[in-house]
Amino acid sequence: MQLGLIGLGKMGGNMRERIRRAGHTVIGYDRNPDVSDVKSLEELVEKLDAPRVVWVMVPAGHATQSVVDELKDLLSEGDTVVDGGNSRWTDDEKHAAELAIKGIGFVDAGVSGGVWGLQNGYALMVGGDKQHVERLHPIFEALKPEGPYGYVHAGKVGAGHFSKMVHNGIEYAMMQAYAEGWELLEKVKSVDNVREVYRSWQEGTVIRSWLLDLAVNALDDDEHLDKLKGFAQDSGEGRWTVEAAIDNAVPLPAITASLFARFASRQDDSPQMKMIAALRNQFGGHAVESKE
Amino acid sequence: MQLGLIGLGKMGGNMRERIRRAGHTVIGYDRNPDVSDVKSLEELVEKLDAPRVVWVMVPAGHATQSVVDELKDLLSEGDTVVDGGNSRWTDDEKHAAELAIKGIGFVDAGVSGGVWGLQNGYALMVGGDKQHVERLHPIFEALKPEGPYGYVHAGKVGAGHFSKMVHNGIEYAMMQAYAEGWELLEKVKSVDNVREVYRSWQEGTVIRSWLLDLAVNALDDDEHLDKLKGFAQDSGEGRWTVEAAIDNAVPLPAITASLFARFASRQDDSPQMKMIAALRNQFGGHAVESKE
Amino acid sequence: MQLGLIGLGKMGGNMRERIRRAGHTVIGYDRNPDVSDVKSLEELVEKLDAPRVVWVMVPAGHATQSVVDELKDLLSEGDTVVDGGNSRWTDDEKHAAELAIKGIGFVDAGVSGGVWGLQNGYALMVGGDKQHVERLHPIFEALKPEGPYGYVHAGKVGAGHFSKMVHNGIEYAMMQAYAEGWELLEKVKSVDNVREVYRSWQEGTVIRSWLLDLAVNALDDDEHLDKLKGFAQDSGEGRWTVEAAIDNAVPLPAITASLFARFASRQDDSPQMKMIAALRNQFGGHAVESKE
Amino acid sequence: MQLGLIGLGKMGGNMRERIRRAGHTVIGYDRNPDVSDVKSLEELVEKLDAPRVVWVMVPAGHATQSVVDELKDLLSEGDTVVDGGNSRWTDDEKHAAELAIKGIGFVDAGVSGGVWGLQNGYALMVGGDKQHVERLHPIFEALKPEGPYGYVHAGKVGAGHFSKMVHNGIEYAMMQAYAEGWELLEKVKSVDNVREVYRSWQEGTVIRSWLLDLAVNALDDDEHLDKLKGFAQDSGEGRWTVEAAIDNAVPLPAITASLFARFASRQDDSPQMKMIAALRNQFGGHAVESKE
């Protein structure tokens, strides 16, 4: 089938390639003319036969909103827009309602796969009305990994991004789990070779996983991670997971601890620990470490 | 080779079977005569040719200490004892020193595999002197999973149990991660079928793992886990991991949160939350829920 | 001076009384005619001489928004509205902008004091432009406790509610601190009389505080809090504090732990711990507690 | 009455002074001859009339054990030893049993007061048999603050140090609460003057406390704590509190978070966050910050 694909960055570019390999026609648009198949959104829309399907793969927030606004003008009744970016689930309902005014369908798709997706396939979590989702099946089939898993129609509009967001929240805590264990093992004297301990865990243990395999890869590159700084960014999904938990009064202690550890990792000096130091000094005359 | 194996419970019994399938001779002893090959520890020791190797697979603490004490009397210079139970790493140094007085070697082995071990093999994390560990290689080969992983000589005496303990700490936080995500997904209206979301994650995602596979198995048995109570025991390893972290001044927020969640799950009513309710009532006149 | 006061509930009613005791004229309006001084907002506005000052003391969210909407129509250029409720700081900028269109000033005031405020005074944290805040000084003086503290002009519009929100976040963690300590002391055998330990802490310790005094009051009423359930509500401020922290990438582990403990306290059974139980059963054959 | 006092450091020296001001006789011993009243423990014991009372005020652990060992030899049946240091409660039972062999009584006393104790008095939490505790009453009266509070006989041997330990655990979380709130307020733009917000809280709020007063003192010295590093030591009591919680299966999320925040504050770079950075790089191609 035919697909319009907007956004040909690290993710979008590889997805175009994987869909084409499956025998579909992809017309890609990107602001960067070096990678774009067409010169404008207008041209992209003209080249597609109605009813059109346009997949948006641009950064969440303003960029996605702006593309949705343009598509609302360019597309027609019966067309379908898919947001495959990392949008917040609350944006999905808004986009679906805006497009529905003109009879344009909307599907949200959470996409996991990172730099490994082209080769292994992309896991897809999809939200939207059945009629819109079904139109996309050939594309979803092309993108997803081989085998029985890697694709789910999770529910109504927003359910795809919500599921992907929770996936990322779980990922935060799993990464934190391996990271905490690694620090503790590296600290004790009796364990000689933490890297080999991690490697051995890849079979027969309760904690074997793809993330563990990646940890072993990383330790093979740099056994004690000496080349790295303990500095970790966070993307929106971790924050939104905690916010969704608060909205729903669900306690998420491990996921939240993982998010906060990242926040702390980015501070050169911790303001709150200055206050702790100041208080200890006030009541106990405890020495403080001063700057200079 | 020949092995004496003490403790033929859920783990030990299956390990005897797996070692025998690999062509070794196992003489097993258990207090339960229905499963025991010999009538006493004395008989077990007599039946083994020197230098003997005796694997202890009994509950950590008093039971293990008591078997080590008996073996110290029954065994001779050049023999080797393996503690494959869930002993605390601090016990290992003590046991090694006690046995060394008579020239008996000591190896500690953390064993992972649960009810799946007989079929898939047991992951082994081993601590001890090279000379003692090497004697055990044929047994370790028999027990471990096929393939290149699943066995590590982690370091000095205690390193095996320490590594296994950290493995379990990581496991606590991974389980907590999947559990937190599941509760949040079950709570929101837009996601129709959480079980299918979990199933889909088994390929192509960052969070695919054996524990995820087990989660899907569990949801296939009981989609909303309605038959279960939210009640989770903890074994010693989770507690010891946090204690080791405290000893080493390593922050373990996610693992500790997971341990505390289990503690809380076993309380019918939370004393600390009674105090919160009492304080809110004192300053704000907030209503409290009384026991009728 | 003259003040219009909208909302005469537990807080508003006592505040009217305290302001009147200080010699000011308060015209109060409440939907409940038994406590209201006037029959309608229109009548309240008519009875005040321009430039008017109207203090809104109704629940945050829809109720406050609705009163602000009505006041925007009823009031005139030069009048001032104070929101003394528990509004989210993000609402303040919105309200200020809406009222500014007609030249009406806006001040936000976080008010602490609970049921003790009438007698001891209310702590006030205020945000807004200096010119608007200064008009209110006689009322702030009447409401605040005697002595040098208990009032601050914290900053721009929103700063009052933001400061009050953080106050409540801190309160959550302080309450949690006393609650955790109490549970631990009640659990150990060697300590005979936890209530007397808490009472003794009221002098000479690092942790003496008004909340500690309240804890002792509560224990004097019910030594082991046997009459209460471990069930604690949370108001918006705790949640907003964590959300503000996420917006600002500030780690708040203790405050967030306190919020999550309240969430958990309200669950009859913990869904996430069902998943933990299910996973333990899957890999280890661990017994689960079933609902009979 | 007469008291032997061993250890005349920051705490012990001031305690000697406060007891003397109350009219008692204190014979102090310290390894530092400049502050010691006698040349040796032997001389101290000789100068006291039987039945003697000797108060030990030296660092917990080896130093305290060593003094207890010496006193066991020097003292006689009917004498009483008080351990007023920060010993772990588990040491108390051991010391009591060792001294009981010779008929020497033992009392453990948790002492709070820091540098303010000489002036304001020391809060005392005491454990031991009633007969031994009663002998000390005149000394406890001299040390404690004026007023009805500040002293408790908490229970059996160990209960004094246990109560003091929990006091310190609560203190950790209270300090963390004020510190977290301060960092958040300092981060937001709308709040102009965080120091004045903290000052205002000293009256009329739910969170007024002595620690809050100290925070205001600290901010008066250095408004944004620019002179300090965010680096906080921890003493044994915080760690022991968490260990005691683990022993008793009591969840202490806020206190433990406070302890871990201190651990993290002392790390130049976080090993666990290196692992997070490495994993993000592995699966997502996310940029890492390298040590150049």
Short mmCIF file of all heavy atoms in Angstrom, two decimals, chain A residues 85-105:
data_model
loop_
_atom_site.label_atom_id
_atom_site.label_comp_id
_atom_site.label_asym_id
_atom_site.label_seq_id
_atom_site.Cartn_x
_atom_site.Cartn_y
_atom_site.Cartn_z
N GLY A 85 5.09 9.43 16.87
CA GLY A 85 6.11 10.05 17.72
C GLY A 85 5.86 9.74 19.19
O GLY A 85 5.00 8.91 19.52
N ASN A 86 6.60 10.41 20.05
CA ASN A 86 6.47 10.14 21.48
C ASN A 86 5.51 11.12 22.14
O ASN A 86 5.80 11.65 23.21
CB ASN A 86 7.85 10.22 22.13
CG ASN A 86 8.71 9.02 21.80
OD1 ASN A 86 8.21 7.90 21.78
ND2 ASN A 86 9.98 9.25 21.53
N SER A 87 4.38 11.37 21.51
CA SER A 87 3.44 12.35 22.06
C SER A 87 2.88 11.88 23.40
O SER A 87 2.75 10.69 23.66
CB SER A 87 2.28 12.57 21.10
OG SER A 87 2.72 13.19 19.92
N ARG A 88 2.53 12.86 24.21
CA ARG A 88 1.83 12.57 25.45
C ARG A 88 0.42 12.11 25.10
O ARG A 88 -0.21 12.65 24.20
CB ARG A 88 1.80 13.84 26.30
CG ARG A 88 1.27 13.61 27.67
CD ARG A 88 1.45 14.84 28.53
NE ARG A 88 0.71 14.68 29.75
CZ ARG A 88 1.16 15.01 30.97
NH1 ARG A 88 2.35 15.53 31.08
NH2 ARG A 88 0.43 14.82 32.04
N TRP A 89 -0.06 11.11 25.82
CA TRP A 89 -1.36 10.55 25.47
C TRP A 89 -2.48 11.59 25.50
O TRP A 89 -3.45 11.49 24.77
CB TRP A 89 -1.69 9.35 26.36
CG TRP A 89 -2.31 9.71 27.68
CD1 TRP A 89 -3.63 9.68 28.02
CD2 TRP A 89 -1.63 10.17 28.86
NE1 TRP A 89 -3.82 10.09 29.32
CE2 TRP A 89 -2.62 10.40 29.85
CE3 TRP A 89 -0.29 10.42 29.19
CZ2 TRP A 89 -2.30 10.86 31.12
CZ3 TRP A 89 0.03 10.88 30.44
CH2 TRP A 89 -0.96 11.10 31.39
N THR A 90 -2.32 12.59 26.33
CA THR A 90 -3.35 13.62 26.42
C THR A 90 -3.44 14.45 25.14
O THR A 90 -4.47 15.05 24.86
CB THR A 90 -3.09 14.55 27.62
OG1 THR A 90 -1.69 14.89 27.62
CG2 THR A 90 -3.43 13.86 28.92
N ASP A 91 -2.36 14.50 24.37
CA ASP A 91 -2.41 15.20 23.08
C ASP A 91 -3.24 14.42 22.06
O ASP A 91 -3.79 15.01 21.12
CB ASP A 91 -0.99 15.38 22.50
CG ASP A 91 -0.17 16.39 23.30
OD1 ASP A 91 -0.76 17.14 24.09
OD2 ASP A 91 1.06 16.41 23.11
N ASP A 92 -3.29 13.11 22.22
CA ASP A 92 -3.95 12.28 21.19
C ASP A 92 -5.43 12.60 21.07
O ASP A 92 -5.96 12.76 19.97
CB ASP A 92 -3.75 10.79 21.51
CG ASP A 92 -2.30 10.37 21.38
OD1 ASP A 92 -1.61 10.88 20.48
OD2 ASP A 92 -1.85 9.54 22.18
N GLU A 93 -6.10 12.67 22.20
CA GLU A 93 -7.54 12.97 22.15
C GLU A 93 -7.79 14.31 21.46
O GLU A 93 -8.73 14.47 20.70
CB GLU A 93 -8.12 13.01 23.57
CG GLU A 93 -8.41 11.63 24.11
CD GLU A 93 -9.23 11.73 25.40
OE1 GLU A 93 -10.20 12.50 25.46
OE2 GLU A 93 -8.86 11.03 26.36
N LYS A 94 -6.93 15.27 21.77
CA LYS A 94 -7.06 16.59 21.17
C LYS A 94 -6.88 16.51 19.66
O LYS A 94 -7.70 17.04 18.89
CB LYS A 94 -5.98 17.50 21.79
CG LYS A 94 -6.02 18.95 21.39
CD LYS A 94 -5.09 19.76 22.31
CE LYS A 94 -4.87 21.16 21.77
NZ LYS A 94 -4.04 21.19 20.55
N HIS A 95 -5.84 15.81 19.22
CA HIS A 95 -5.58 15.70 17.78
C HIS A 95 -6.71 14.95 17.08
O HIS A 95 -7.13 15.33 15.98
CB HIS A 95 -4.24 15.01 17.54
CG HIS A 95 -3.07 15.82 18.00
ND1 HIS A 95 -1.84 15.30 18.31
CD2 HIS A 95 -2.95 17.16 18.22
CE1 HIS A 95 -1.03 16.26 18.69
NE2 HIS A 95 -1.67 17.39 18.66
N ALA A 96 -7.17 13.88 17.72
CA ALA A 96 -8.25 13.10 17.11
C ALA A 96 -9.50 13.97 16.93
O ALA A 96 -10.16 13.93 15.89
CB ALA A 96 -8.57 11.88 17.98
N ALA A 97 -9.80 14.78 17.93
CA ALA A 97 -11.00 15.62 17.85
C ALA A 97 -10.84 16.69 16.77
O ALA A 97 -11.77 16.98 16.01
CB ALA A 97 -11.26 16.27 19.22
N GLU A 98 -9.65 17.28 16.68
CA GLU A 98 -9.42 18.32 15.67
C GLU A 98 -9.58 17.75 14.26
O GLU A 98 -10.18 18.38 13.38
CB GLU A 98 -8.00 18.89 15.83
CG GLU A 98 -7.85 19.80 17.05
CD GLU A 98 -6.38 20.05 17.42
OE1 GLU A 98 -5.48 19.59 16.65
OE2 GLU A 98 -6.14 20.69 18.45
N LEU A 99 -9.02 16.55 14.05
CA LEU A 99 -9.07 15.95 12.71
C LEU A 99 -10.48 15.42 12.40
O LEU A 99 -10.91 15.44 11.24
CB LEU A 99 -8.04 14.84 12.60
CG LEU A 99 -6.58 15.31 12.65
CD1 LEU A 99 -5.63 14.16 12.91
CD2 LEU A 99 -6.19 16.03 11.35
N ALA A 100 -11.17 14.98 13.42
CA ALA A 100 -12.51 14.40 13.20
C ALA A 100 -13.48 15.43 12.64
O ALA A 100 -14.44 15.08 11.94
CB ALA A 100 -13.05 13.82 14.52
N ILE A 101 -13.24 16.69 12.93
CA ILE A 101 -14.12 17.76 12.41
C ILE A 101 -14.21 17.67 10.89
O ILE A 101 -15.26 17.92 10.30
CB ILE A 101 -13.59 19.14 12.85
CG1 ILE A 101 -13.77 19.30 14.36
CG2 ILE A 101 -14.30 20.26 12.10
CD1 ILE A 101 -12.99 20.48 14.94
N LYS A 102 -13.08 17.30 10.26
CA LYS A 102 -13.09 17.18 8.80
C LYS A 102 -13.26 15.75 8.33
O LYS A 102 -13.03 15.42 7.16
CB LYS A 102 -11.77 17.74 8.23
CG LYS A 102 -11.81 19.27 8.08
CD LYS A 102 -10.67 19.78 7.24
CE LYS A 102 -10.59 19.18 5.84
NZ LYS A 102 -9.44 19.70 5.08
N GLY A 103 -13.59 14.86 9.26
CA GLY A 103 -13.79 13.46 8.87
C GLY A 103 -12.49 12.70 8.65
O GLY A 103 -12.47 11.65 7.99
N ILE A 104 -11.39 13.23 9.20
CA ILE A 104 -10.10 12.55 9.08
C ILE A 104 -9.90 11.67 10.30
O ILE A 104 -10.11 12.11 11.44
CB ILE A 104 -8.94 13.58 8.97
CG1 ILE A 104 -9.21 14.55 7.81
CG2 ILE A 104 -7.60 12.88 8.83
CD1 ILE A 104 -8.33 15.79 7.83
N GLY A 105 -9.51 10.43 10.08
CA GLY A 105 -9.30 9.50 11.18
C GLY A 105 -7.95 9.73 11.86
O GLY A 105 -7.04 10.34 11.29
#
